Amino acid sequence: MELTVWTYEGPPHVGAMRVATAMHDVHYVLHAPQGDTYADLLFTMIERLKKRPPVTYTTFQARDLGGDTAVLFKDAAQDAYARFKPQAMLVGASCTAELIQDDPGGLAEAIGLDIPVVPLELPSYQKKENWGASETFYQMVRGLAGAHAPAPGTERPPRPADRPARVNLLGPTALGFRHRDDVVEIKRLLGEMGIEVAVTAPLDAHARDIARLGEADFNIVLYPEIGLTAAKWLERTFAQPYVQTVPIGVGATKDFVREVAALAGIDPEPVLAANESRLPWYSASVDSNYLTAKRVFIFGDGTHALAAARVARDEMGFDVVGLGTYSRERAKDVRAMAKELGLEALITDDYLAVEKAIEDSAPELILGTQMERHIAKRHGIGCAVISAPVHVQDFPARYSPQMGFEGANVLFDTFVHPLVMGLEEHLLGMFREDFEFNDDAMPSHLATAGEGEIRVQPQPSAPNGAAATNGSAVEPAADATGEAGTHWDDSALQELKKIPFFVRGKVRRNTEKFAADNGVATITVETLYDAKAHFGR
Amino acid sequence: MSDGSTPMAPAPGCTEDRPVLKERGQREVFCGLTGIVWLHRKIQDAFFLVVGSRTCAHLLQSAAGVMIFAEPRFATAIIGERDLAGMADANEELDRCVRQLLERRPDIKLLFLVGSCPSEVIKLDLSRAAERLNVEYSPKVRVLNYSGSGIETTFTQGEDACLTAMVPTLPDAAPGAAPSLLVVGTLADVVEDQITRIADKAGLGPIRFFPPRNSQDLPPVGPNTRFIMAQPFLTDTAKALTDRGAVQVNAPFPLGVEGTTLWLKAAAEALDLPGSHVDVATAANRDRANRALDRYRPELEGKRIFFFPDSQLEIPLARFLNREMGMELVEVGTPYLNRTIHGPDLALLPADAMLSEGQHVEKQLDRCVAARPDITVCGLGLANPLEAQGLTTKWSIELVFTPIQGFEQAGDLAELFARPLNRKTRLVA
């Protein structure tokens, strides 16, 4: 057993859901207990999708365990087929269903559906979400494209000279960190290079698109955690080479353009000359001087951590003081990069180990996941999110790629924003006792004075559960005398404190206005609620 | 799919001869683990350790992680392959996790080992583990266990299981003591305080609340205890309290003016006090609450509402919205219908109200979309997809996370339903 406060990845069947939900006419029948439908709201709430994920759950209960859960599964699969009429079906088990061993693959085969059915074996007690997505995508590619494979050893016929190069984009999924806009940005870049995108998958692909993956000249793996296994299989089966340079950051994007151009047999220089990120100039301008050697700690999935390390060192002039990933599949690459930076890579999915490493390296900026935001907030360190897991605010409405030249612009703004701005930093160094602007306060371009309390919150792990000593610092001392000479009695003041802080000020003002309007001299609990009833929320 | 649905079968044992559509199929609901999200804030010195899989940890994180930035008072001991293969003694592993946890959080006084689907299916005996750990950590930490698994519990039933586990630890009430009142079910602190003030004024006091805010402050229970439920999902807790000799008081739930009044009167009568005490003591509160409701009545009156099953709060909510706000009930779905507990609210529903118990989510969605209600109460997995189809929704979980009980919250409760309709009228295009 493993004590877990926060987990970086969900179980592997969530990865499978990300693949199914990304696609158009694929349905996933998941053998799972009642309650596992919580995963739907990852898609409907965090990613704000307008549709329900294409997943039918068996949602068995304890009373079903005494009966035939296999029949339950078969019925659910048949029902889903009849209702949703998918072009391909994924079938599999969640962690609990794995224990009861009903064999969804075998059961689905026994039904004899007239569409391809891809059985998923996702070992829930060993593997995690990204592996689940990668395995699901790979199995689907094998299942649907495999039928079109040439005989082993067949040479790939050369591309006709008059046809532009055609590529597949592999890896973007539902619930992927900025996948939506990365795809747009990379397609735009490829378009400028005169390269056609045959299929993007799994995001927005149909089952029939997967079947024709072999037709492209080569593949581009945007997210190796999800697309690399399938790309390797396509290379073996269809002799399609693949590009694995992930175009995050200016340098990486240039490398990517050159690598793609080489495979397409074109000259990269016109495209490189026509595109310029603003990051290099912004970073070179004197305002960025103070960014030099800022200590930064980087953690995330392998792809984003590696890319951020290169940008931080080569393009922002930071000192990388910590580098790690929870993607064990990428451990080798991350270790190599860490060595280059003179560091030892942190390969872990233990949130507490990451917290310890951050404490030990005392960075000025953390580039991480949603979980590192928790740590950063507790320690009062600036933080920017560079990788999943993320929450709803990192599925923004605005165009926000990480990849390509526009992605680099986004990265510059994102990395710099949490830092104290240059002038403020100087003034803090000169005048240390200012009552508003001090070390304990958040940078003044970010927060109101009240949020300063965050920086000195004691650790919950402190012995004896030392209580937060400054929680009330947010509130000005409770003042019994309001505007217009109204007076609050003690019980009413106590009651007022029970109102959530973000509406308390409004309630206070309303109550005092109500008292003044009605000639009430002393505000009691009754007055408070009279006013509440009068004004509503 | 053979969902075993029995369309409009008369419900045996219902307080009235009222038809209830019973359905089985895919259920779009939370498991009982979700109860931890509010219970860990209510009982401040308790910690909830789920023994389960990465899915369980992911659920809690997804349900609560959005809001919780500090290290929470819950965690998961994730079962690994070594535990399943018998390579590691699962009990020793659990003990190790508990040791690690208690070293990190020495402020914990009450530890719940919470069972999950995987731990139930592999039959990991958490009650014995709790006994064993109690020997080791008593008296500093008390260790209890309950199951919040999806196979056994739906959403708020997790609280029922948790409180049921606590009932045996309640001290015995002094024999021969005067009848006293116990209010059962998690309420917002501010609501508890309001109830206490009214109870004092109406002569119902002293009253106690269960669960308490602190595990060291357990209410006594015995044959002189009258308990009244503030939440409708506490079937097993009620039974456990009855087994301790306490006497159950049935009433409609304290939602809205009528519900709160009837609830308080039932409590008074159980203590052999005339209900008129309550009328006198709460006249001003009722008047005020009615004024608050008047504000929202024009927005809600005549509107048609559809409830998907979620928390078991659906029937009392439907009663309030129908009788006090003039809403029309299209369908009232509940995950589980307890005829004793829901009886008083059921009796106040219109005779033709369509009730459903359990769920076949696809068929229920078909009914909902065909009926095109003005507002649909449903979970977060359905809300945005229904909005995208042009329906207005009220996401149901908020009703568990907001103070809605009692007179002073009646207006707030109505506002929760008026808000999505109001919003629709504000947004252009």
Side-chain angles (χ1 to χ4, degrees):
Chain A
M1 276 179 210
E2 179 197 342
L3 183 65
T4 308
V5 181
W6 298 112
T7 171
Y8 282 97
E9 292 182 74
H13 72 258
V14 169
M17 282 185 72
R18 289 176 53 187
V19 171
T21 306
M23 295 183 64
H24 284 298
D25 47 16
V26 171
H27 201 85
Y28 183 18
V29 181
L30 179 61
H31 207 12
Q34 166 178 260
D36 280 5
T37 52
Y38 81 86
D40 282 356
L41 65 88
L42 303 171
F43 300 92
T44 60
M45 296 304 293
I46 296 179
E47 200 173 3
R48 287 185 230 249
L49 292 189
K50 291 181 170 182
K51 61 167 188 179
R52 292 170 64 214
V55 182
T56 293
Y57 305 77
T58 54
T59 61
F60 56 83
Q61 294 175 268
R63 61 184 172 191
D64 300 313
L65 293 176
D68 199 340
T69 50
V71 170
L72 199 65
F73 180 86
K74 278 164 94 170
D75 289 346
Q78 245 153 358
D79 202 34
Y81 173 72
R83 183 175 283 268
F84 298 105
K85 302 186 174 58
Q87 295 304 305
M89 192 183 270
L90 301 169
V91 295
S94 79
C95 51
T96 303
E98 187 183 333
L99 297 171
I100 59 178
Q101 299 184 329
D102 276 334
D103 183 23
L107 292 169
E109 199 181 331
I111 301 171
L113 302 177
D114 60 0
I115 52 166
V117 175
V118 180
L120 300 174
E121 297 283 343
L122 308 176
S124 305
Y125 298 89
Q126 292 170 33
K127 301 292 190 179
K128 295 189 284 255
E129 178 178 332
N130 280 337
W131 186 89
S134 169
E135 174 71 9
T136 301
F137 185 48
Y138 162 65
Q139 292 296 349
M140 183 149 36
V141 169
R142 267 187 60 155
L144 300 180
H148 307 280
T154 310
E155 287 261 329
R156 201 175 173 78
R159 168 165 62 94
D162 58 344
R163 173 170 74 68
R166 215 178 267 163
V167 300
N168 300 316
L169 299 182
L170 304 182
T173 62
L175 215 63
F177 177 65
R178 309 291 168 88
H179 287 194
R180 177 195 71 195
D181 297 341
D182 283 347
V183 167
V184 173
E185 185 65 15
I186 294 308
K187 277 186 174 170
R188 189 191 61 73
L189 194 56
L190 293 169
E192 280 187 42
M193 296 171 76
I195 294 171
E196 287 175 5
V197 175
V199 175
T200 303
L203 190 63
D204 278 335
H206 292 81
R208 61 173 183 273
D209 298 326
I210 303 294
R212 59 184 186 86
L213 279 174
E215 295 169 11
D217 299 305
F218 59 97
N219 290 312
I220 291 174
V221 182
L222 291 182
Y223 307 100
E225 276 83 357
I226 294 158
L228 186 58
T229 308
K232 285 181 172 170
W233 181 83
L234 287 165
E235 183 184 45
R236 286 196 304 276
T237 311
F238 290 95
Q240 287 172 316
Y242 61 85
V243 174
Q244 205 194 163
T245 299
V246 177
I248 299 177
V250 177
T253 301
K254 288 181 173 171
D255 291 351
F256 171 84
V257 168
R258 293 193 179 99
E259 198 178 337
V260 169
L263 280 174
I266 57 175
D267 178 8
E269 294 312 320
V271 168
L272 292 176
N275 280 280
E276 200 176 352
S277 168
R278 292 184 199 96
L279 183 150
W281 165 241
Y282 271 52
S283 196
S285 71
V286 294
D287 191 51
S288 296
N289 239 303
Y290 82 107
L291 300 178
T292 311
K294 284 269 182 212
R295 297 164 56 79
V296 57
F297 185 97
I298 299 170
F299 194 83
D301 67 19
T303 297
H304 289 89
L306 286 165
R310 180 171 172 185
V311 172
R313 179 189 62 181
D314 297 345
E315 299 172 22
M316 302 296 291
F318 294 151
D319 277 350
V320 179
V321 297
L323 176 65
T325 182
Y326 58 82
S327 312
R328 286 182 195 278
E329 314 83 56
R330 304 299 303 279
K332 203 173 135 216
D333 301 333
V334 175
R335 283 206 178 92
M337 182 76 189
K339 198 169 170 198
E340 221 183 289
L341 291 160
L343 299 169
E344 183 154 354
L346 177 68
I347 312 296
T348 185
D349 56 3
D350 181 353
Y351 165 80
L352 301 176
V354 177
E355 181 177 39
K356 174 86 170 50
I358 288 174
E359 280 170 17
D360 291 349
S361 59
E364 293 164 271
L365 175 67
I366 301 171
L367 302 177
T369 74
Q370 180 70 19
M371 307 302 135
E372 280 64 54
R373 287 178 58 177
H374 296 199
I375 297 168
K377 189 162 181 182
R378 182 178 306 149
H379 294 271
I381 303 170
C383 180
V385 171
I386 58 157
S387 160
V390 293
H391 270 310
V392 64
Q393 62 270 45
D394 278 300
F395 285 92
R398 67 182 182 276
Y399 186 56
S400 314
Q402 300 284 287
M403 292 184 176
F405 294 111
E406 181 59 24
N409 296 339
V410 172
L411 290 183
F412 180 87
D413 292 345
T414 308
F415 288 12
V416 171
H417 182 75
L419 296 167
V420 176
M421 289 173 79
L423 177 63
E424 178 149 320
E425 190 175 81
H426 284 295
L427 290 171
L428 286 174
M430 286 179 73
F431 311 111
R432 304 196 60 82
E433 295 181 6
D434 190 285
F435 70 99
E436 286 174 288
F437 310 106
N438 56 56
D439 282 349
D440 287 339
M442 292 292 280
S444 66
H445 72 290
L446 291 184
T448 59
E451 287 188 38
E453 54 125 13
I454 289 159
R455 295 210 154 196
V456 280
Q457 215 166 49
Q459 305 263 336
S461 54
N464 308 322
T469 50
N470 55 333
S472 59
V474 190
E475 285 291 305
D479 183 355
T481 307
E483 286 166 10
T486 48
H487 180 79
W488 290 72
D489 78 8
D490 283 350
S491 61
L493 268 186
Q494 291 305 316
E495 197 74 0
L496 181 66
K497 283 186 190 161
K498 294 169 192 165
I499 313 274
F501 71 89
F502 50 90
V503 289
R504 200 178 299 148
K506 177 88 183 301
V507 169
R508 183 176 185 127
R509 278 197 303 280
N510 277 352
T511 307
E512 287 169 3
K513 182 174 189 310
F514 181 84
D517 291 350
N518 290 279
V520 176
T522 299
I523 295 174
T524 63
V525 174
E526 302 301 305
T527 324
L528 177 69
Y529 285 119
D530 280 336
K532 185 161 178 262
H534 179 76
F535 288 107
R537 263 179 73 90
Chain B
M1 178 172 180
S2 60
D3 49 70
S5 66
T6 345
M8 305 310 277
C14 184
T15 50
E16 292 171 64
D17 192 20
R18 182 187 285 285
V20 175
L21 172 64
K22 293 192 173 196
E23 278 196 306
R24 289 187 68 184
Q26 178 177 321
R27 294 165 68 102
E28 187 83 17
V29 291
F30 281 129
C31 66
L33 293 181
T34 328
I36 292 170
V37 175
W38 64 90
L39 286 166
H40 87 281
R41 289 293 170 90
K42 182 75 205 179
I43 315 174
Q44 292 176 12
D45 54 355
F47 194 99
F48 295 79
L49 181 63
V50 176
V51 183
S53 64
R54 189 167 301 283
T55 309
C56 308
H58 196 236
L59 157 81
L60 280 176
Q61 187 166 311
S62 310
V66 191
M67 304 166 280
I68 298 172
F69 266 84
E71 186 176 315
R73 291 188 292 264
F74 56 79
T76 310
I78 295 183
I79 297 168
E81 203 178 33
R82 284 163 45 82
D83 304 294
L84 295 176
M87 289 161 69
D89 182 322
N91 288 309
E92 281 173 21
E93 284 289 294
L94 178 57
D95 291 4
R96 184 178 56 74
C97 283
V98 168
R99 198 177 316 124
Q100 197 186 342
L101 172 68
L102 292 178
E103 278 166 13
R104 190 174 165 80
R105 301 297 303 263
D107 48 325
I108 299 166
K109 300 278 197 306
L110 174 61
L111 174 65
F112 287 101
L113 303 178
V114 188
S116 65
C117 300
S119 75
E120 296 294 328
V121 167
I122 65 171
K123 302 201 186 313
L124 191 59
D125 192 339
L126 293 183
S127 69
R128 284 188 55 190
E131 277 175 37
R132 184 175 69 240
L133 289 162
N134 258 324
V135 172
E136 191 172 341
Y137 294 104
S138 175
K140 203 175 161 300
V141 183
R142 186 192 279 279
V143 186
L144 296 176
N145 88 286
Y146 72 90
S147 172
S149 75
I151 57 178
E152 292 157 305
T153 58
T154 304
F155 194 29
T156 47
Q157 282 178 316
E159 174 171 331
D160 191 22
C162 174
L163 299 191
T164 304
M166 286 179 82
V167 168
T169 71
L170 301 181
D172 284 318
S180 67
L181 189 66
L182 182 64
V183 176
V184 183
T186 295
L187 289 170
D189 295 344
V190 67
V191 176
E192 283 188 0
D193 296 345
Q194 291 164 4
I195 292 173
T196 302
R197 275 198 299 273
I198 290 175
D200 288 346
K201 207 169 160 192
L204 305 182
I207 61 170
R208 298 293 300 267
F209 293 89
F210 181 60
R213 298 180 195 186
N214 187 303
S215 76
Q216 307 298 294
D217 181 32
L218 296 170
V221 63
N224 45 30
T225 307
R226 307 285 176 268
F227 72 93
I228 186 163
M229 284 191 289
Q231 299 283 9
F233 41 73
L234 300 170
T235 301
D236 291 342
T237 308
K239 185 173 178 311
L241 286 168
T242 308
D243 290 347
R244 294 278 309 262
V247 180
Q248 183 171 351
V249 182
N250 276 319
F253 286 90
L255 299 173
V257 179
E258 180 187 45
T260 305
T261 307
L262 291 173
W263 186 84
L264 285 166
K265 282 189 170 181
E269 280 158 18
L271 297 169
D272 294 326
L273 293 165
S276 57
H277 273 221
V278 171
D279 284 334
V280 173
T282 62
N285 306 69
R286 278 183 285 126
D287 183 43
R288 184 159 67 200
N290 275 321
R291 269 182 281 138
L293 291 182
D294 287 342
R295 168 187 303 279
Y296 302 107
R297 200 165 287 116
E299 294 173 59
L300 294 176
E301 207 151 33
K303 295 286 195 306
R304 299 164 65 244
I305 190 165
F306 191 109
F307 286 88
F308 278 79
D310 188 54
S311 63
Q312 299 182 47
L313 279 162
E314 297 81 7
I315 288 171
L317 285 169
R319 183 262 302 152
F320 159 70
L321 292 169
N322 172 251
R323 291 173 64 91
E324 299 191 44
M325 305 311 287
M327 294 184 81
E328 216 176 289
L329 307 176
V330 179
E331 176 171 339
V332 183
T334 178
Y336 178 66
L337 199 154
N338 180 315
R339 323 226 170 244
T340 310
I341 291 176
H342 284 114
D345 279 304
L346 278 176
L348 296 173
L349 284 187
D352 60 347
M354 153 116 177
L355 303 176
S356 64
E357 182 184 9
Q359 189 174 35
H360 184 297
V361 72
E362 307 294 350
K363 290 184 183 176
Q364 197 168 26
L365 279 167
D366 289 347
R367 289 199 298 275
C368 178
V369 170
R372 293 205 74 80
D374 294 304
I375 188 162
T376 300
V377 184
C378 62
L380 294 172
L382 301 177
N384 275 336
L386 285 173
E387 292 277 352
Q389 291 184 54
L391 294 180
T392 299
T393 62
K394 164 78 224 100
W395 52 284
S396 51
I397 297 119
E398 197 174 12
L399 297 159
V400 178
F401 288 152
T402 310
I404 56 170
Q405 292 83 2
F407 293 121
E408 316 302 353
Q409 281 65 237
D412 298 346
L413 177 57
E415 198 271 344
L416 285 179
F417 293 90
R419 193 188 307 162
L421 294 166
N422 179 344
R423 185 163 187 78
K424 270 274 155 62
T425 66
R426 287 168 180 256
L427 301 181
V428 179

